[in-house]
Every structure is written in C-alpha cells, then in structure tokens.
Amino acid sequence: QDQIYRSGTAGRRPPFTTDHSRLERAARDVMAPQAYGYIAGAAGSEATMRANRAAFDHHGLVPRVLRDVSERDLSIELFGSRLPTPLLLAPVGALGLAHPDGEIAAARAAEETGVPLVLSTVSSHSIEEVAAAAPRARRWFQLYWPNDTELTLSLLERAVANRYEVLVVTLDAFALAWRPRDLDRGYLPFHRLHGLANYLTDPAFRHLLPKPAETDPAGAVQRWSELFNDASRTWASIPFLREHWHGPLVLKGICHPGDARAAVDSGADAIVVSNHGGRQIDGGVAALDALEAVVAAVGDRTTVLFDSGIRTGADTVKALALGARAVLLGRPYVYGLALGGTKGVIHVLRGLLAELDLTLAMTGHRTPAALDPSVLVRT
Ligand code: FNR
C-alpha cells in the first residue's frame, strides 16, 4: 500500500477502486447486463449470498501490540509444496463473459503473482490454451463430473498432460440452480456455447454428438446439458476418481460435518468448505459458519480450504483463524478481470494481499499458520 500512496503523491492514481462494493458497480458498468447478472447473481432471494457476507461481521478481530511482527511471511504449505500466499483464484466458468481474454488473462495474473488458478471445466478457453498461454502459472483443474466415463477420463488425461497439479471436484452443482436474475432474462451463458471450450475440443465429447457442433450448435448444447447434470451420484462414486487421478484430490462444496467426514473417508486429500458463493441453495447457512462446524469435525484429519464471501484481507484472516489453510477468491477477481484484464486481476490480488499482510501484523502474527481462533471474538 506504500507504493500506492507514493504513486498518488506523484500524481498516479490506482487503476480502479479496491473497495468491493464500488468495484462491483464499476465492473457492472463495463459488462453486458446479462453477463453481469450471471456473475453477480445467486440462488433464489440471494439470502445465502447475503448470509455469507454477514457471517464475517459476527467475528471481530482482536488487535495485538508489541510483538515484533517486523518480518512476515505469507507463504503456506499445501500438498507438500509451498504456495507464496494462502490465496487461490476460484474456478469460475465462462470468464470470457467478463473479458475477451477470459481464463488466459487470469492465468497470466496467476503466473505473475504465484497465486494458483483453478481452471473451471466450463471455461471459455481450453485446458491446452490456458497452459500454453501461462506455462509457469500454477494451475489446478476443477471438474464438473460429466455423466460419461470416457469423457471424464479424457478431461483428466488432458489436465495431466498439461500439468494441472491438483484436481478439484465440485459436488454442489449437480443440478442447475434457481437463479432469478438469469431466469428473468432466460439466460444461461452455456446455452450460447460460452464456457464450452473444453467440451467442444474434446474428442470424447465430439464422439457423443449426433451431428458436429459446427453444424448443429443447439444439439451440442443439448448433449452438454444432458451430460452435465447428474443428481444420482453418491459417495460410492468417489473411489473411481481416486483411482484415476494420481495427484492431490480436493472435494469442493462441503458444508455439512457429515459430508466432511465422508469426504475424508473417501480418500480425498482436502475439502473446500463452500456454498458456491450462494449460487446453488437459497436460505443456506453462511459458508463461514459451516467452516467452524466442518473444522470441528475433521480439522485434524484433513486440509480444509474455504470460499464464499471473501472480499478483503480481514475476511481472509478470519477464515484462516477458523481453520482454513487457504481461501479461494471468487467474484472480486472476476470484476478486476472485467475492468482491466490481467492487470485488473493483479490489482485486486495485490490489494487483498497487502491488506492481509497488514491484518496479520496488527493481530500480532508473522505467518498464516500462526493464526488460531483466539484472534477472534464473536460479536
Ligand atoms: C462460480 N463458481 C464455480 N465453481 C466451480 O467449481 N466451477 C465453476 O465453473 C464455477 N463457476 C462460477 C461462476 C461464477 C460467475 C461465480 C460467481 C462462481 C463458484 C466459485 O468457485 C466460488 O465457490 C464462489 O465464487 C465463491 O463465492 P464468492 O466469493 O464469489 O462470493
């Protein structure tokens, strides 16, 4: 932040605001209304999304003084390697809606900052394009598990061949959610082929099409949506993935302690406590409240990651203090992307990380690993 203040003295203002609500409004002004509605919206009355934010206000950070926090290190250990910060870019589908360079721009920001990008299955740029555009970025792959074994294995092979290190399987989006902002516009990006790059380039998917996607795009969308939603899976399905993915396996979208126990028993290496940013269920428990219950159930048996509602460095410190090893950033980086491509994502990340570093210091800590619940008071 010192840099920002000093550039200001020299007459150079930051490219855009670092305050989340103003950031969201600025991004809205540069995006097509339907794209903005898809990104900003959530399920039903959007109560879960509001609860996600409100939960952070129910925990107060207690400042500490005189503890020599002059040397600080934001890095963390995860799956036997070090990440420079406890932050990841969450998988967000169809980033081409926010910026023409979509996931490529996000991956370049990942490359520059060392913050890993979790590439969504439903990305606007393919697994291969993203890897080629940002070869040094730390890349994870998020799987929406299609209802076809050959296609599933093909996606996993492509992720391995292009050096995606970690597989994140998202479990809470097995059905299309009730999202009024999109319903009112009759709009789902995927129905206009946005976000289907990984399907359209996959030989196993093409094999499943009655006619080539080029001549029958509507047929391709129809086939995609049949493969995409599968509400019949159970915990008994997970060992299949464990068998076919040899790197770290992460299960995303866990809120119930019982599901967290099942995830650990299924052989997953980590879980993400998340309610998909409030986009799946309305009237849901705040993700931060779910985090406390999940950590109490399995915190000593697995690595817990967190997302849904992280907007600031202080939010991040609260989630880490409650037992998350790292957090995934969602909408804020998408708005940065909309406003400034790679540079916009970097601006959002730098701001959040500077604030995280300061909050760590002002609560008397030098490293993320040193945080524990004693830094919080329930208000
Ligand atoms: C998402 N999210 C998501 N998750 C996932 O596993 N695969 C995906 O393709 C998507 N797509 C997606 C699109 C959009 C527009 C949003 C906003 C979110 C969920 C995402 O990974 C994360 O859980 C939430 O974004 C976290 O909530 P906040 O912090 O954005 O409120």
Side-chain angles (χ1 to χ4, degrees):
Q1 91 279 15
D2 195 40
Q3 253 175 23
I4 294 180
Y5 288 135
R6 263 192 273 152
S7 311
T9 319
R12 284 191 307 277
R13 295 265 305 272
F16 52 80
T17 175
T18 52
D19 167 75
H20 183 78
S21 42
R22 285 187 294 141
L23 173 68
E24 177 162 337
R25 282 199 296 280
R28 182 190 62 193
D29 292 345
V30 300
M31 269 191 265
Q34 57 195 25
Y36 171 76
Y38 174 72
I39 293 164
S45 70
E46 306 192 337
T48 309
M49 183 164 68
R50 287 191 298 279
N52 283 343
R53 290 297 308 138
F56 285 94
D57 293 335
H58 299 148
H59 296 276
L61 289 164
V62 186
R64 302 294 302 272
V65 296
L66 295 177
R67 285 164 63 103
D68 185 4
V69 288
S70 52
E71 301 284 328
R72 300 187 295 279
D73 175 4
L74 288 186
S75 73
I76 58 157
E77 191 273 330
L78 194 56
F79 307 133
S81 85
R82 279 208 98 69
L83 289 184
T85 77
L87 218 58
L88 296 111
L89 296 174
V92 171
L95 284 179
L97 295 177
H99 189 279
D101 296 337
E103 292 81 10
I104 288 185
R108 291 195 171 128
E111 191 164 54
E112 194 149 326
T113 56
V115 171
L117 169 71
V118 189
L119 183 75
S120 167
T121 298
V122 285
S123 51
S124 304
H125 294 95
S126 69
I127 292 170
E128 291 80 9
E129 283 177 289
V130 171
R136 292 183 316 283
R138 305 229 20 200
R139 299 180 304 276
W140 296 15
F141 181 65
Q142 175 265 325
L143 182 71
Y144 278 134
W145 193 346
N147 182 14
D148 181 84
T149 304
E150 213 182 310
L151 177 59
T152 303
L153 293 177
S154 176
L155 289 168
L156 297 188
E157 274 164 29
R158 292 168 63 193
V160 171
N162 289 279
R163 287 182 288 109
Y164 287 72
E165 299 170 60
V166 175
L167 183 68
V168 178
V169 184
T170 299
L171 300 174
D172 61 359
F174 55 81
L176 191 55
W178 186 259
R179 295 186 194 147
R181 293 199 217 198
D182 300 336
L183 289 165
D184 289 349
R185 292 192 174 92
Y187 176 75
L188 190 68
F190 313 108
H191 285 185
R192 302 193 181 172
L193 293 177
H194 292 302
L196 298 192
N198 285 326
Y199 280 81
L200 297 174
T201 54
D202 199 294
F205 180 65
R206 289 205 297 266
H207 187 66
L208 293 166
L209 293 178
K211 283 192 237 155
E214 296 76 28
T215 55
D216 180 20
V221 169
Q222 173 67 29
R223 200 75 187 91
W224 164 77
S225 74
E226 287 160 10
L227 292 162
F228 189 75
N229 297 321
D230 182 356
S232 70
R233 285 225 170 80
T234 66
W235 288 102
S237 305
I238 301 295
F240 172 86
L241 288 179
R242 187 63 292 180
E243 194 185 322
H244 289 94
W245 178 265
H246 304 301
L249 174 67
V250 180
L251 301 182
K252 174 172 182 278
I254 306 282
C255 286
H256 194 288
D259 285 352
R261 282 188 212 99
V264 176
D265 294 342
S266 76
D269 297 292
I271 56 177
V272 186
V273 172
S274 163
N275 58 27
H276 219 99
R279 295 167 70 78
Q280 288 301 106
I281 191 172
D282 190 20
V285 61
L288 196 71
D289 293 332
L291 174 66
E292 288 192 80
V294 166
V295 167
V298 298
D300 54 348
R301 292 172 61 205
T302 193
T303 301
V304 180
L305 310 177
F306 174 83
D307 77 34
S308 297
I310 296 282
R311 301 291 176 262
T312 67
D315 296 341
T316 306
V317 168
K318 290 176 187 182
L320 300 180
L322 290 174
R325 180 76 60 88
V327 304
L328 286 70
L329 192 63
R331 291 179 180 90
Y333 90 83
V334 182
Y335 297 142
L337 177 69
L339 287 166
T342 296
K343 286 202 173 97
V345 176
I346 292 173
H347 184 64
V348 167
L349 285 172
R350 288 221 171 109
L352 198 143
L353 288 168
E355 205 206 339
L356 166 62
D357 177 52
L358 287 169
T359 310
L360 204 62
M362 290 180 196
T363 55
H365 300 87
R366 295 179 189 171
T367 63
L371 287 162
D372 67 37
S374 69
V375 71
L376 296 170
V377 166
R378 204 171 250 285
T379 52

